[in-house]
Amino acid sequence: MLLAGGQGSRLYVLTSNVAKPAVPFGGKYRIIDFPLSNCTNAGIDTVGVLTQYKPLELNSYIGSGQPWDLDRSSGGVHILPPYMVEGDKGSWYKGTANAIYQNIGFVDMYDPDYVVILSGDHIYKMNYRKMVQAHKAAGAACTISVLEVPWDEASRFGIMNVDGEDNIVEFQEKPKEPKSNLASMGIYVFSWKKLRQYLIDDENNPNSSNDFGKNIIPAMLDAGEKMIAYRFEGYWKDVGTLESLWDANMDMLSRGDLDLLDSDWPIYARIPNQPPAFMGKNAKVEHTVATQGCEIYGEAFNSVLSDSVVIEEGAQVRYSVLMPGVHVKKGAKVEYAIVGEGVQIGEEAKVGGDPMEVDPDKWGIAVLGPGAVIASGETVAPKTMLNRKHEEVSR
Amino acid sequence: MKGLHGLIFAYGKHLGLRELTERRSPASVPFGGRYRLIDFMLSNMVNAGVDDVGVVLQGNYQSLLDHVGSGKDWDLSRKHGGLRLLPPFAMTQHRDDSAFRGRMEALAGVESYLEKIRQDHVVLADSDTIINIPLQEVYQAHLKSGADITAVCSRNLEDCPEDATYFHVDGAGCITSTVVDVREPEGVRGLDIYILSKELLLNLVKECKRTGHYSFRTAVLQGMSDKLKLNAYLWDGYAAQIHTLAEYYSRSMELLDSDIRANIFPKERPIFTKELNVSSTYLDPDGACVNSLVADGCTIEGTVENSILFRGVSVAKGAVVKNCILMQNVSVGENAELDAVIADKNVKITDGCTLVASSKYPMALAKNAEI
């Protein structure tokens, strides 16, 4: 069950019209491709995607599920929006746990032994099958995937305190003084019968905020259920903020822990139909990924160029993430920026700036919302964010 | 029912394509960085709203079957109609060992299929024509003209294949004569795309079968010119027929011209192909890539100039690739040097290897070769 209904408000203008999981990533992907591909690679062939916030683009992107091999005659991928029930009782998803609660009927249709709960805002490659195996082997009611984070960052995460056998003994949400550095990745395996009961009990508790982290996990701990931590090693990034989204794109470029060319664990995507990228006679492209449909006549350094990006002659793009269809006109310069789908950047315009050349207080990633139009010669300062209508949005 | 049915001839065996057709039919020869030749005609039909397409197969068609599959990538995997592959075993009349001698013979082999066509008109085309043409407009022009057969023609007489068909056309667009087997081009060049009614097609097939004729050009266009009203549809856009390796190379290299690319890849009529799941292409700081078409999934650490790279090609550090066509998953080792080389799928060029040919006579390396 993939929780894809969040607004992603910390991505600001990038999610003003789409749900966070539908935000483009790494040239050819959208964030949701990672959990969906992980599912299909792990052999999970029945996936519910819970949508709520601006689902249109996400729905059409997922479609039949065919790019992820999830167009099955039994199982496959299912979009699960909130719905009405008799007596006008339906409601929006109130929290992560409530979203699953409202879809108990869906899960029951397939009657699984175990349910994996995923979220649609993480970039990582993970074999959920191994996690389910660990869950089964331990005879646990709940298994939570954890990542060792640097101690000084531990207070930003939900921290799992474990005993010598990785049994979870305590859960602390963003503790001031963390007792462990095992951060929850928001990936859970539950034995369905157990979870089903806890969801029903939680729903009957009027004081609950119906959230896995805040309510379900603490309730199960209090009841003494067997809960284990599953240690994950590898690349994992929550791309819920503009900075982390930019970071993850740059991580992908360096192809260290996050190698998307690796064919052993492919990440699948719905691929727009475009001719191959064209590199012009004076194109200079370094440490950059380019995608089909690109036309590059200018320069690009350390950047991610999604499909159909055009960089005209004399234009320069550095340390930036350009989403599909961005057009950078002659002589324009784009640095340290996230540029949303279809943005037009006029001739000789300047977007963002190099941190070495800007006062550190004033520096930040410049962000242009999808569809924004930057006039010729215009300057968009570092850290500035503009929406579709070219209005400045503060963070 | 009203409408157009597509029939693509994918049986030809162009020996002129040499290594490229050693293990495949011309229809599935890779072209343009991520396509196969047949993608263009299939997409033309799909973009014109053609729901049903039959592909007449013969020869080494395994690779073509792999490529088109169920037809899903062209939206031709349908409950009713869609893509229908017509291999030779469907034939009742054909001498089973040799290639079709002509279109009429190929059509006679699939007569029972032709009888079941739902649409009242049929467009016949070859699988190795590179063109992006609005066939719906050709169809409308055909209906309007009242012609029995409409042939798509190009006024451009440069780079005609040796076995091209030529037509003489009067001021009203009527074809007055058909010319084949000539050395020098004359009139307008036929692109071997024809529209005619299903009824006429069936009659022609029966007639040719009865009289033992097999060629559409000589038996129908020439032989029945007094009985049939033949019309030309003049197409001024890009069109290329690829029958030889030299044609393959020069037509491929033309794609580096942005006007030609704009003509065959217009936004409103996309060319569809079989999808392959690969990541974006990575360009390393040590590498350089200019005046080249590069598909996804490539890793470029060396120098690439005036070349076409298909999906998943890797060019290692210090390697220099010029004027080349490198097909899917070709790997070029460190410090290798290639000029005017066409490397088929999975070719491996080892470190330090130097292969220099000329653009006039490019070197073709067969699939899976290790050099």
Side-chain angles (χ1 to χ4, degrees):
Chain A
M1 298 295 275
L2 211 168
L3 299 162
Q7 184 179 351
S9 55
R10 287 172 304 151
L11 290 179
Y12 300 94
V13 296
L14 298 180
T15 50
S16 57
N17 269 306
V18 297
K20 180 158 60 172
V23 168
F25 178 83
K28 277 189 97 159
Y29 306 94
R30 302 203 182 223
I31 296 169
I32 197 167
D33 289 328
F34 289 82
L36 281 181
S37 302
N38 287 340
C39 282
T40 208
N41 289 335
I44 296 175
D45 60 11
T46 307
V47 181
V49 178
L50 298 107
T51 62
Q52 173 155 290
Y53 173 80
K54 302 241 171 152
L56 296 184
E57 200 163 323
L58 187 61
N59 290 353
S60 78
Y61 184 71
I62 294 172
S64 67
Q66 185 270 327
W68 306 272
D69 208 10
L70 289 171
D71 54 334
R72 305 292 176 100
S73 39
S74 78
V77 66
H78 297 257
I79 307 272
L80 304 169
Y83 56 92
M84 300 302 291
V85 292
E86 65 271 23
D88 285 346
K89 268 200 191 129
S91 72
W92 294 109
Y93 295 148
K94 289 177 279 179
T96 51
N98 175 257
I100 305 295
Y101 170 83
Q102 291 202 35
N103 287 289
I104 283 178
F106 169 78
V107 182
D108 280 346
M109 262 172 21
Y110 291 98
D111 192 25
D113 293 328
Y114 308 101
V115 172
V116 185
I117 309 285
L118 304 166
S119 61
D121 44 11
H122 299 155
I123 301 295
Y124 64 116
K125 292 181 172 188
M126 180 175 179
N127 190 343
Y128 306 135
R129 177 167 290 262
K130 285 188 182 166
M131 184 173 168
V132 174
Q133 280 163 354
H135 177 89
K136 279 156 86 170
C142 169
T143 299
I144 301 176
S145 170
V146 295
L147 188 73
E148 280 188 43
V149 295
W151 279 95
D152 55 346
E153 285 180 27
S155 57
R156 288 173 36 218
F157 292 93
I159 293 296
M160 299 292 161
N161 299 327
V162 297
D163 66 13
E165 285 163 342
D166 278 353
N167 289 303
I168 297 170
V169 293
E170 191 185 7
F171 170 68
Q172 292 174 293
E173 184 67 33
K174 296 181 183 164
K176 284 211 174 70
E177 285 171 28
K179 293 180 205 162
S180 116
N181 66 339
L182 296 178
S184 166
M185 295 161 63
I187 299 163
Y188 311 104
V189 176
F190 290 98
S191 297
W192 174 237
K193 284 201 179 74
K194 288 269 185 208
L195 176 62
R196 198 178 185 284
Q197 193 52 50
Y198 278 95
L199 288 173
I200 292 166
D201 294 346
D202 181 65
E203 190 61 21
N204 292 332
N205 175 1
N207 300 322
S208 172
S209 51
N210 308 117
D211 184 89
F212 275 101
K214 288 187 195 124
N215 309 102
I216 301 288
I217 304 301
M220 291 180 84
L221 271 174
D222 287 348
E225 298 286 359
K226 184 164 176 71
M227 301 174 75
I228 61 164
Y230 174 80
R231 289 172 189 257
F232 173 75
E233 283 171 15
Y235 186 88
W236 177 84
K237 192 141 199 135
D238 182 334
V239 287
T241 66
L242 294 167
E243 287 73 20
S244 63
L245 180 64
W246 184 86
D247 281 347
N249 273 284
M250 294 297 140
D251 292 343
M252 186 274 307
L253 263 187
S254 67
R255 293 169 62 202
D257 295 334
L258 183 63
D259 184 3
L260 298 182
L261 288 172
D262 167 25
S263 54
D264 289 344
W265 197 267
I267 301 301
Y268 302 100
R270 188 175 289 281
I271 301 166
N273 191 55
Q274 296 289 345
F278 181 71
M279 309 288 170
K281 289 199 169 73
N282 301 316
K284 216 171 158 195
V285 186
E286 292 181 2
H287 194 55
T288 287
V289 296
T291 311
Q292 56 198 25
C294 284
E295 298 262 333
I296 301 165
Y297 301 94
E299 300 180 359
F301 304 107
N302 299 281
S303 294
V304 172
L305 310 179
S306 309
D307 75 90
S308 311
V309 163
V310 179
I311 301 178
E312 291 187 5
E313 200 121 349
Q316 202 187 59
V317 175
R318 299 175 64 234
Y319 295 93
S320 295
V321 177
L322 273 53
M323 290 180 180
V326 171
H327 193 135
V328 185
K329 298 199 173 138
K330 283 193 179 77
K333 195 168 185 184
V334 180
E335 296 179 289
Y336 294 87
I338 300 176
V339 185
E341 280 185 69
V343 168
Q344 306 272 325
I345 297 175
E347 291 181 16
E348 306 292 334
K350 264 193 72 138
V351 175
D354 194 314
M356 308 299 279
E357 294 166 7
V358 183
D359 182 355
D361 295 340
K362 291 183 182 157
W363 187 82
I365 301 292
V367 182
L368 302 177
V373 178
I374 307 302
S376 296
E378 189 181 339
T379 299
V380 179
K383 215 176 183 174
T384 308
M385 178 157 53
L386 299 178
N387 68 12
R388 182 179 295 273
K389 296 175 190 153
H390 201 282
E391 296 156 343
E392 190 160 344
V393 179
S394 56
R395 299 185 206 181
Chain B
M1 78 191 207
K2 291 218 180 304
L4 206 50
H5 184 100
L7 268 181
I8 298 179
F9 297 106
Y11 62 79
K13 194 169 187 340
H14 293 305
L15 297 170
L17 284 168
R18 300 198 330 221
E19 286 84 352
L20 303 186
T21 46
E22 243 174 39
R23 294 170 189 226
R24 55 169 85 88
S25 60
S28 61
V29 167
F31 185 81
R34 60 190 289 268
Y35 305 96
R36 304 290 183 125
L37 293 180
I38 196 173
D39 291 344
F40 292 85
M41 203 47 78
L42 270 179
S43 302
N44 282 324
M45 291 182 176
V46 169
N47 288 332
V50 174
D51 290 327
D52 300 356
V53 178
V55 179
V56 182
L57 303 170
Q58 201 195 34
N60 287 340
Y61 57 78
Q62 180 59 47
S63 130
L64 182 60
L65 296 185
D66 284 349
H67 179 65
V68 296
S70 65
K72 174 181 61 57
D73 288 307
W74 297 264
D75 261 351
L76 286 173
S77 176
R78 305 283 181 85
K79 210 160 199 102
H80 299 286
L83 182 73
R84 191 61 61 89
L85 299 169
L86 306 166
F89 73 77
M91 294 179 297
T92 46
Q93 308 291 325
H94 189 62
R95 308 150 297 134
D96 55 357
D97 52 341
S98 58
F100 293 123
R101 291 170 295 176
R103 289 183 184 78
M104 296 317 286
E105 189 168 67
L107 289 169
V110 295
E111 197 182 341
S112 59
Y113 173 82
L114 300 180
E115 279 164 1
K116 281 182 277 183
I117 285 175
R118 304 186 289 172
Q119 293 80 359
D120 58 358
H121 282 80
V122 179
V123 52
L124 307 177
D126 284 353
S127 55
D128 47 13
T129 309
I130 305 299
I131 189 170
N132 192 325
I133 182 173
L135 286 176
Q136 187 58 229
E137 287 176 25
V138 183
Y139 175 46
Q140 294 308 325
H142 172 79
L143 295 179
K144 215 172 138 192
S145 71
D148 292 310
I149 299 176
T150 295
V152 177
C153 305
S154 168
R155 275 185 280 228
N156 181 358
L157 296 181
E158 281 170 38
D159 304 321
C160 297
E162 270 182 21
D163 47 354
T165 317
Y166 300 96
F167 299 108
H168 289 284
V169 179
D170 69 12
C174 291
I175 291 172
T176 52
S177 65
T178 303
V179 185
V180 296
D181 296 328
V182 287
R183 277 178 182 279
E184 289 302 316
E186 52 184 274
V188 294
R189 167 165 61 127
L191 297 173
D192 292 320
I193 301 170
Y194 305 100
I195 292 183
L196 67 171
S197 71
K198 172 192 168 183
E199 194 190 349
L200 174 61
L201 180 70
L202 273 172
N203 287 339
L204 293 173
V205 168
K206 287 198 174 82
E207 178 68 12
C208 286
K209 215 158 106 178
R210 195 177 59 78
T211 55
H213 289 103
Y214 50 82
S215 166
F216 185 73
R217 298 192 302 183
T218 53
V220 177
L221 297 180
Q222 290 184 324
M224 302 186 192
S225 61
D226 52 338
K227 292 181 214 129
L228 298 171
K229 180 172 172 345
L230 307 179
N231 241 44
Y233 179 94
L234 293 175
W235 168 249
D236 289 322
Y238 183 86
Q241 288 164 291
I242 293 180
H243 298 169
T244 67
L245 196 67
E247 282 166 0
Y248 175 82
Y249 183 77
S250 53
R251 296 297 86 77
S252 294
M253 286 303 162
E254 277 175 1
L255 294 176
L256 299 179
D257 180 324
S258 61
D259 292 338
I260 289 178
R261 275 206 314 284
N263 206 300
I264 53 175
F265 300 119
K267 289 247 178 322
E268 65 276 18
R269 293 193 305 272
I271 302 298
F272 301 96
T273 189
K274 180 184 174 185
E275 274 310 341
L276 194 73
N277 201 85
V278 286
S279 188
S280 301
T281 279
Y282 175 72
L283 298 113
D284 191 83
D286 291 337
C289 180
V290 293
N291 197 36
S292 295
L293 264 186
V294 184
D296 284 349
C298 298
T299 306
I300 302 175
E301 295 168 322
T303 302
V304 176
E305 241 181 84
N306 309 328
S307 294
I308 295 175
L309 272 50
F310 283 67
R311 292 175 284 199
V313 167
S314 62
V315 178
K317 281 192 188 7
V320 179
V321 173
K322 283 182 185 170
N323 311 310
C324 290
I325 299 169
L326 306 182
M327 295 185 193
Q328 203 176 309
N329 295 330
V330 165
S331 73
V332 180
E334 285 183 21
N335 302 315
E337 198 181 316
L338 305 182
D339 195 345
V341 170
I342 302 171
D344 206 326
K345 279 174 77 175
N346 308 326
V347 163
K348 193 168 181 269
I349 310 286
T350 48
D351 293 354
C353 177
T354 301
L355 296 171
V356 178
S358 102
S359 300
K360 292 239 165 63
Y361 200 88
M363 181 188 303
L365 306 175
K367 190 173 168 182
N368 302 333
E370 187 172 333
I371 312 288

